[in-house]
Amino acid sequence: MASSPGQIFLFGEHAVVYGFPALATAINMRTEVQAELGSNNKIEIHSQGVGKLEGEVKEVNGKWSIKKKSGDSEKLRFVTEVIQLTLNHIDRGDGFRIYIKSDLPPGSGLGSSSAVTTATAAAVSSALGKNLTREEISDLAYNSELEVQGAASRTGVNVATYGGFLKIQESEKKSLERLPKLKILIGYTGNYSNTGKLVGNVRGLKESRPTIVNPILKAIGKATESGIESLEEGNLERVGVLMNANQSLLRGLNVSSPHLNDLIQAARSSGALGAKLTGAGGGGCMIALSQEDIDRISKSISEAGGESMEAKIGAEGLKNDQ
Ligand code: MEV
């Protein structure tokens, strides 16, 4: 059994893909994966609320791969991909029964794919009696994300693996121990957030309008730096102002959506210190910062048509119980 947290970006999504800093943090909403060895190389994957798949683990051209017999392979691609990579990394094929349950809606922009890939790599390797390092697990998860969705930063898998608060820049990840474990409100639009597509759209915009887009990305990096300083000083009002500035810059990258804008506006006008989208955008979730007006903000997010959830930031990373 292994579990990993979901995540939010307090600052810096999209700009992080181009080497600017981002601040991401684990939330206390998790994905849990249980892996049991099966027989005759048979594989069964049951993911609560997502789908089911049955198949066989076979060696094809010297590589272990999953041959589907029935079920929904598209929805479970992150899971099948990371299982294959883990079996090839350990160099052992076997059958499994895998049970997944998650607090994180898939495609919600809360890092559901990084949570499921890291927890699956940990659960599958443990079931085979092999304890992989955190580094190995986050590499397997990252490679499976690259395979399924194309270009991505390592933010998601790093937060899912190590938890806490991470400042990510290029290949560096710095754990920030002193940041406050605040409450945060999350508003879910109910719409799918397609990371691969949105990252591709921003790349296209950057290529066609570099003189406009490059300064926006740079300014997002500055908002991240100032946001970290303000969190360290406990100046939440300033954190809120910087979150709002980050949201305006994200709108300049064309990754927000009318529904996200409505939820963000609803949160701000009912007392949030700051509000912005989190993750890739396009749909998915927004976050709002307030320590006092949580109930009022939550109600106005619901009235604006969002699903409101309260979470705590700075949560624990991957847990692997054998
Ligand atoms: C998606 O959750 C966050 C992006 O910055 C992409 C990435 O970092 O891989 C948009």
Side-chain angles (χ1 to χ4, degrees):
M1 176 94 89
S3 74
S4 292
Q7 61 163 317
I8 56 168
F9 276 83
L10 289 168
F11 297 98
E13 51 274 89
H14 286 289
V16 71
V17 175
Y18 300 96
F20 296 100
L23 176 64
T25 178
I27 52 176
N28 61 342
M29 294 168 67
R30 303 184 71 86
T31 296
E32 197 178 273
V33 180
Q34 191 183 336
E36 294 167 0
L37 280 183
S39 52
N40 302 329
N41 280 23
K42 275 202 192 124
I43 189 149
E44 276 177 39
I45 304 170
H46 302 262
S47 180
Q48 211 175 68
V50 176
K52 188 177 157 186
L53 181 139
E54 287 185 23
E56 206 180 332
V57 174
K58 277 193 164 170
E59 199 169 0
V60 183
N61 301 330
K63 289 208 160 222
W64 295 108
S65 58
I66 296 174
K67 290 284 148 240
K68 179 187 111 168
K69 291 226 164 86
S70 66
D72 200 340
S73 48
E74 205 37 54
K75 284 195 179 148
L76 293 169
R77 257 194 86 195
F78 283 107
V79 180
T80 50
E81 192 58 46
V82 78
I83 295 172
Q84 292 177 155
L85 289 177
T86 305
L87 297 179
N88 286 306
H89 181 72
I90 297 176
D91 200 13
R92 182 172 151 196
D94 224 317
F96 290 96
R97 276 185 302 277
I98 299 203
Y99 302 93
I100 302 170
K101 53 179 201 221
S102 184
D103 304 326
L104 306 160
S108 59
L110 296 177
S112 54
S113 50
S114 299
V116 82
T117 50
T118 51
T120 303
V124 164
S125 51
S126 296
L128 290 171
K130 186 99 183 161
N131 279 324
L132 300 181
T133 63
R134 282 177 185 259
E135 200 113 45
E136 285 175 296
I137 287 170
S138 80
D139 277 350
L140 289 166
Y142 181 63
N143 289 331
S144 66
E145 290 191 3
L146 275 185
E147 201 59 47
V148 178
Q149 75 183 18
S153 75
R154 281 187 177 262
T155 316
V157 296
N158 279 332
V159 175
T161 308
Y162 299 99
F165 295 89
L166 292 183
K167 179 183 175 192
I168 307 280
Q169 187 162 20
E170 312 260 5
S171 55
E172 301 265 299
K173 58 172 188 309
K174 187 169 171 206
S175 183
L176 303 174
E177 314 279 347
R178 293 186 311 126
L179 299 194
K181 295 184 174 172
L182 303 168
K183 285 184 267 184
I184 200 107
L185 263 175
I186 299 172
Y188 179 34
T189 58
N191 306 122
Y192 188 66
S193 173
N194 185 334
T195 303
K197 180 167 166 266
L198 285 145
V199 169
N201 290 351
V202 173
R203 185 171 301 279
L205 203 59
K206 180 170 159 39
E207 276 161 16
S208 61
R209 297 275 178 271
T211 50
I212 296 170
V213 172
N214 291 339
I216 294 181
L217 296 170
K218 193 169 169 196
I220 293 178
K222 293 270 179 223
T224 300
E225 299 282 10
S226 307
I228 292 172
E229 266 171 41
S230 307
L231 278 163
E232 279 170 349
E233 290 161 5
N235 187 343
L236 297 192
E237 276 184 21
R238 199 167 137 73
V239 175
V241 169
L242 290 162
M243 286 170 72
N244 290 341
N246 194 159
Q247 171 63 16
S248 302
L249 294 163
L250 287 163
R251 284 186 74 164
L253 297 178
N254 204 21
V255 293
S256 199
S257 72
H259 198 182
L260 279 169
N261 297 341
D262 287 349
L263 303 188
I264 289 165
Q265 195 45 50
R268 286 180 189 162
S269 44
S270 52
L273 298 171
K276 62 182 273 294
L277 67 84
T278 177
C285 290
M286 49 72 73
I287 52 172
L289 180 66
S290 169
Q291 300 305 289
E292 274 132 40
D293 297 317
I294 298 258
D295 290 342
R296 185 148 45 104
I297 300 167
S298 166
K299 192 161 164 259
S300 51
I301 290 175
S302 307
E303 282 167 3
E307 183 187 330
S308 150
M309 306 174 253
E310 190 184 321
K312 222 168 149 196
I313 59 177
E316 204 180 338
L318 172 69
K319 288 198 267 188
N320 198 355
D321 312 317
Q322 281 136 48

